[in-house]
Amino acid sequence: MSDALSAIPAAVHRNLSDKLYEKRKNAALDLENAVKALITSGDHDKISKVIDVLIKDFAKSPQANHRKGGLIGLAAVTVGLASEAAQYLEQIVPPVIHAFFDQDSRVRYYACEALYNIAKVVRGEFIFFFNDIFDALCKLSADSDANVQSAAHLLDRLVKDIVTESDQFSIEEFIPLLKERMNVLNPYVRQFLVGWITVLDSVPDIDMLGFLPDFLDGLFNMLSDSSHEIRQQADSALSEFLQEIKNSPSVDYGRMAEILVQRASSPDEFTRLTAITWINEFVKLGGDQLVRYYADILGAILPCISDKEEKIRVVARETNEELRSIHVEPSDGFDVGAILSVARRQLSSDNEATRIEALNWISTLLNKHRTEVLCFLNDIFDTLLKALSDSSDDVVLLVLEVHAGVAKDPQYFRQLIVFLVHNFRADNSLLERRGALIVRRLCVLLDAERVYRELSTILEGEDNLDFASTMVQALNLILITSPELSKLRDLLKGSLVNREGKELFVALYASWCHSPMAIISLCLLAQAYQHASVVIQSLVEEDINVKFLVQLDKLIRLLETPIFTYLRLQLLEPGRFTWLLKTLYGLLMLLPQQSAAFKILRTRLKTVPTYSFSGGGQISRASSGVPFSQYMHHREDGDAEDNNINNSHQGINFAARLQQFENVQNQHRGQARNKVNYSYNTSSTSASKFTNITSWSSDAAASDLLSANMIV
């Protein structure tokens, strides 16, 4: 106590701890004057003793009024010291900062007031304690007492003024403290932090842009704050930084790109829009710095292309096109494998637009970096095959373009067709829903003849006979009806007169044997009418089931389409195309009389001219009044098949073809018998020969043929 009395007069000592503010204030004024006198006399030791007493007896006292008096006393000492205060700051400032965390809100308030007065006196010397003061102010900005918050705001403004005019402020020491606070959720603290970022960024001598990666994520985090004011402040700060980036010659794009990629998938719409906007600018400005981040950027862009918000979709599409137009090479650090990996993942997206763009990327890479893409083909091939089952036709068409691009190399062409057949076998619905689309598109993108030859080779050795039959029937229907295969049909029409047509006919025949109706259709296309008639007569009772009749129904209806115009016109010369007539009558004999197909074909055959005029002017009867048996051994010179059947260069060995057909059909018949026997032995429901008719025709057509067949 004696030390205290010797340093501070008893009256001042007593009044500093009084509960009344006015008495504490008057005591502080007396203390200020006493310190001024000590400065004049140069008694610095006594000044230190005064400060020690204020700290020990007041600032650290368990009594609130003493702590209040200590704070106002320390501020008064600083004011009294004036220009000499700097040398005592290490004694004065720490206890004041400590009081910021006092349990008594009034003590915290007076701590803000005391430090405010101290800062006004020492100004720039204050910077030494900046980090501690900033930390304390950060906490006080969210104080539960409104008066404390107001006092802290006043102090904060003064500290900002001091920092902006100081040349001793260390941004390097401050940034770690700022970064540590950026993820705080309290709205008052967030406002405090954004305010400091904005102020510091406005100081020309402080390079906040260089440290932006350290607190960028925190700013983006504030964009989803529930407070509109905070969102607006954060957005304003980000906009200012983006403008600085555009004008700066040196920016660390890489570290920020990682943050933007993460924020582009934010559940908050505004955050996503801002992130994708930044990415868009980075792609335009970043150049080589972003090459190794392209995969991550693409992973952020592709989902945004399907965003529910139109603004995000527009920016994402623009960014995607910008990124795809950049010309970089693997030697520049461009990771083709990483890009392909991203595209492969996005093929599983629920959004069609994203899947389409993922495929566009694969196609682009295949065109620009074919060698590298083929190195990673095994990683994406299965995914590309699964994409053929996509619900979107646009996606399937793009997948086929990618497959076709890969299949330009012979070793990958067969692999594609083999996998395609495998997928059709594993997923019957894929063949039904997408079979025609896939095959037709491949025929456009690749050579149609090459595609059909490869398919035929694979199906020729197919062990699953039911699948082989189904697949051949599908391919046959595509061959007959698709505009894309018109050249292939024209080639087949010349099977009996040119080598190319003959080779194609023979190549397809091997697998077409799995379906009698497919073989008959192939013969009609090739104008091999005699062989078609022989095939028809080779059929046995068990071949004529409802599935066969439904296929026959389809063929009869197809004969009335423009595809078979040439065939119908040949009926104008029944004497020349006798085997054509025999074939059509043979088909007519297979049809139930009550079926619509029977009536269609019979009507057509009734239009065949009664007389056929030959070169010698002789007239031969060819009407229905003449027994059909007369045609069975009739041969006219005008039949293309007859004219070329014995040509050693162009000729087709139809006897061998017929044997080949019968061998395959015997396998099918044997399998059918085994199924019936198995069903009988296990006492299960007998297998109906009328099953699965809906796969081949409408219910009405199948029902029509079923009823007619039962009548027969």
Side-chain angles (χ1 to χ4, degrees):
M1 184 67 179
S2 59
D3 290 340
L5 291 174
S6 64
I8 301 175
V12 174
H13 192 284
R14 183 175 59 253
N15 288 336
L16 275 176
S17 60
D18 198 277
K19 65 179 180 180
L20 295 176
Y21 173 73
E22 286 302 321
K23 288 188 177 182
R24 295 196 302 271
K25 181 179 179 182
N26 290 331
L29 290 173
D30 293 338
L31 187 59
E32 178 185 335
N33 292 327
V35 170
K36 288 180 179 179
L38 292 172
I39 286 293
T40 302
S41 64
D43 194 349
H44 292 283
D45 289 339
K46 195 167 184 179
I47 293 173
S48 294
K49 288 180 180 180
V50 169
I51 296 172
D52 287 340
V53 170
L54 290 173
I55 295 172
K56 293 176 182 178
D57 293 354
F58 290 89
K60 293 184 177 181
S61 172
Q63 297 181 34
N65 288 331
H66 281 67
R67 297 196 297 274
K68 295 173 187 175
L71 291 168
I72 197 171
L74 289 170
V77 169
T78 305
V79 174
L81 288 169
S83 61
E84 300 289 331
Q87 59 185 305
Y88 297 100
L89 286 180
E90 290 190 26
Q91 283 180 275
I92 296 171
V93 174
V96 177
I97 294 175
H98 180 75
F100 281 5
F101 308 103
D102 199 283
Q103 293 182 352
D104 191 317
S105 62
R106 296 306 295 168
V107 174
R108 297 196 300 274
Y109 175 85
Y110 286 118
C112 290
E113 182 182 77
L115 196 58
Y116 183 89
N117 290 324
I118 293 170
K120 283 178 65 178
V121 173
V122 299
R123 302 298 290 185
E125 303 296 337
F126 193 66
I127 296 298
F128 179 78
F129 302 96
F130 175 78
N131 282 4
D132 292 333
I133 295 170
F134 178 86
D135 186 45
L137 285 174
C138 186
K139 292 181 173 65
L140 288 181
S141 65
D143 198 280
S144 58
D145 189 283
N147 290 325
V148 176
Q149 280 193 20
S150 297
H153 290 162
L154 285 173
L155 176 59
D156 181 52
R157 284 201 290 270
L158 177 60
V159 175
K160 285 175 181 173
D161 289 341
I162 293 172
V163 169
T164 55
E165 67 187 25
S166 172
D167 57 358
Q168 299 178 22
F169 177 73
S170 174
I171 185 66
E172 291 81 5
E173 294 179 7
F174 169 67
I175 289 298
L177 187 64
L178 175 64
K179 182 179 180 181
E180 183 181 341
R181 300 287 183 275
M182 286 303 291
N183 290 323
V184 175
L185 299 178
N186 187 286
Y188 297 107
V189 176
R190 283 184 162 182
Q191 282 184 309
F192 172 80
L193 295 172
V194 175
W196 267 99
I197 290 171
T198 303
V199 167
L200 292 176
D201 187 47
S202 67
V203 180
D205 294 333
I206 297 178
D207 180 22
M208 284 295 282
L209 184 59
F211 295 95
L212 181 57
D214 291 301
F215 56 87
L216 180 64
D217 189 60
L219 282 176
F220 267 93
N221 200 29
M222 294 179 190
L223 292 176
S224 59
D225 195 278
S226 58
S227 168
H228 174 72
E229 185 177 358
I230 293 175
R231 292 198 303 272
Q232 194 172 43
Q233 289 177 352
D235 181 49
S236 177
L238 285 168
S239 298
E240 183 63 30
F241 276 119
L242 184 57
Q243 189 60 43
E244 290 178 30
I245 289 172
K246 293 179 182 179
N247 299 327
S248 175
S250 177
V251 178
D252 183 1
Y253 291 101
R255 286 179 61 198
M256 290 188 285
E258 294 177 350
I259 297 169
L260 297 175
V261 165
Q262 295 297 323
R263 289 297 170 182
S265 60
S266 168
D268 179 68
E269 181 180 297
F270 187 49
T271 303
R272 291 199 307 276
L273 176 59
T274 307
I276 204 69
T277 300
W278 274 60
I279 290 175
N280 179 269
E281 294 295 338
F282 275 30
V283 169
K284 295 176 181 177
L285 301 170
D288 297 340
Q289 287 192 49
L290 286 176
V291 171
R292 68 189 186 96
Y293 297 99
Y294 278 176
D296 294 333
I297 291 174
L298 182 62
I301 293 172
L302 290 180
C304 288
I305 287 175
S306 303
D307 198 278
K308 61 182 179 181
E309 173 58 41
E310 183 180 1
K311 291 180 180 178
I312 297 176
R313 294 197 302 270
V314 170
V315 178
R317 286 189 177 279
E318 179 185 333
T319 309
N320 183 56
E321 293 303 319
E322 188 75 29
L323 188 63
R324 194 157 50 202
S325 64
I326 297 175
H327 298 288
V328 288
E329 297 296 330
S331 58
D332 301 323
F334 182 62
D335 192 340
V336 174
I339 296 288
L340 285 173
S341 180
V342 170
R344 177 182 58 79
R345 288 197 303 272
Q346 293 303 326
L347 282 177
S348 301
S349 170
D350 294 332
N351 300 301
E352 178 183 342
T354 295
R355 300 197 300 275
I356 287 176
E357 288 307 318
L359 287 166
N360 283 331
W361 264 99
I362 296 175
S363 181
T364 299
L365 291 176
L366 192 60
N367 292 332
K368 292 183 177 180
H369 309 288
R370 182 178 184 83
T371 303
E372 289 78 8
V373 170
L374 294 181
C375 291
F376 295 99
L377 187 60
N378 290 336
D379 296 335
I380 64 172
F381 202 75
D382 287 344
T383 303
L384 288 173
L385 286 170
K386 291 178 182 177
L388 291 172
S389 302
D390 197 277
S391 58
S392 166
D393 284 352
D394 291 337
V395 172
V396 173
L397 291 174
L398 276 174
V399 173
L400 290 172
E401 287 189 18
V402 173
H403 277 303
V406 173
K408 289 178 181 178
D409 291 349
Q411 65 269 34
Y412 295 114
F413 174 78
R414 178 169 177 80
Q415 187 179 2
L416 167 63
I417 304 301
V418 168
F419 271 98
L420 190 61
V421 172
H422 171 76
N423 273 21
F424 284 146
R425 185 192 305 110
D427 184 6
N428 289 330
S429 63
L430 176 62
L431 180 59
E432 294 175 8
R433 292 182 293 106
R434 290 279 186 266
L437 177 67
I438 291 172
V439 173
R440 289 172 61 181
R441 189 60 183 165
L442 281 179
C443 287
V444 172
L445 297 171
L446 302 169
D447 180 61
E449 180 179 355
R450 186 183 177 199
V451 171
Y452 259 73
R453 280 176 173 271
E454 193 63 46
L455 284 168
S456 181
T457 300
I458 295 170
L459 291 172
E460 181 182 359
E462 176 62 45
D463 294 330
N464 187 333
L465 298 181
D466 288 339
F467 166 72
S469 177
T470 301
M471 185 75 189
V472 165
Q473 291 160 19
L475 292 174
N476 182 66
L477 186 61
I478 295 169
L479 175 62
I480 293 175
T481 60
S482 299
E484 297 88 346
L485 274 70
S486 61
K487 291 184 178 179
L488 208 58
R489 291 193 294 272
D490 290 340
L491 188 59
L492 282 170
K493 286 178 187 177
S495 297
L496 303 181
V497 294
N498 65 65
R499 181 175 58 82
E500 292 80 7
K502 168 206 146 183
E503 290 177 351
L504 177 60
F505 178 86
V506 172
L508 297 184
Y509 195 100
S511 60
W512 257 237
C513 289
H514 285 290
S515 170
M517 198 49 58
I519 281 291
I520 294 171
S521 302
L522 183 65
C523 290
L524 292 179
L525 282 175
Q527 302 185 72
Y529 301 134
Q530 180 177 359
H531 188 66
S533 178
V534 173
V535 168
I536 292 171
Q537 300 212 27
S538 72
L539 299 176
V540 298
E541 179 182 348
E542 57 189 302
D543 297 331
I544 316 300
N545 51 36
V546 168
K547 184 181 291 188
F548 173 89
L549 292 174
V550 171
Q551 295 170 44
L552 178 54
D553 179 277
K554 281 188 176 182
L555 176 60
I556 299 305
R557 295 175 190 275
L558 286 171
L559 290 177
E560 298 298 317
T561 64
I563 300 295
F564 285 102
T565 298
Y566 71 92
L567 183 148
R568 297 195 301 275
L569 290 175
Q570 288 173 349
L571 291 175
L572 293 173
E573 302 178 78
R576 182 181 174 192
F577 296 98
T578 306
W579 287 108
L580 172 58
L581 268 178
K582 291 179 180 180
T583 298
L584 295 180
Y585 271 110
L587 296 177
L588 185 68
M589 295 302 106
L590 296 177
L591 286 165
Q593 295 186 55
Q594 302 302 317
S595 66
F598 179 88
K599 296 173 183 177
I600 292 172
L601 182 55
R602 183 179 61 179
T603 301
R604 173 60 64 186
L605 289 172
K606 283 182 178 179
T607 64
V608 175
T610 304
Y611 294 99
S612 171
F613 296 92
S614 61
Q618 298 175 346
I619 301 176
S620 59
R621 296 285 296 176
S623 69
S624 57
V626 177
F628 183 71
S629 59
Q630 291 184 13
Y631 293 115
M632 296 303 294
H633 302 290
H634 184 73
R635 176 174 297 180
E636 291 287 342
D637 291 340
D639 194 314
E641 182 180 354
D642 295 336
N643 286 342
N644 296 279
I645 197 74
N646 294 316
N647 188 312
S648 59
H649 177 64
Q650 304 288 356
I652 299 174
N653 189 340
F654 284 103
R657 300 283 79 75
L658 180 62
Q659 186 62 52
Q660 186 180 23
F661 170 73
E662 290 180 341
N663 290 340
V664 174
Q665 284 304 301
N666 284 332
Q667 294 178 31
H668 280 270
R669 292 162 190 158
Q671 178 178 278
R673 294 189 196 101
N674 291 337
K675 286 183 178 179
V676 172
N677 291 337
Y678 176 78
S679 176
Y680 176 79
N681 292 335
T682 56
S683 301
S684 62
T685 304
S686 298
S688 171
K689 65 179 179 178
F690 308 126
T691 57
N692 295 329
I693 57 176
T694 54
S695 300
W696 305 104
S697 182
S698 66
D699 292 340
S703 177
D704 175 31
L705 286 170
L706 177 59
S707 301
N709 193 45
M710 296 176 94
I711 294 174
V712 174

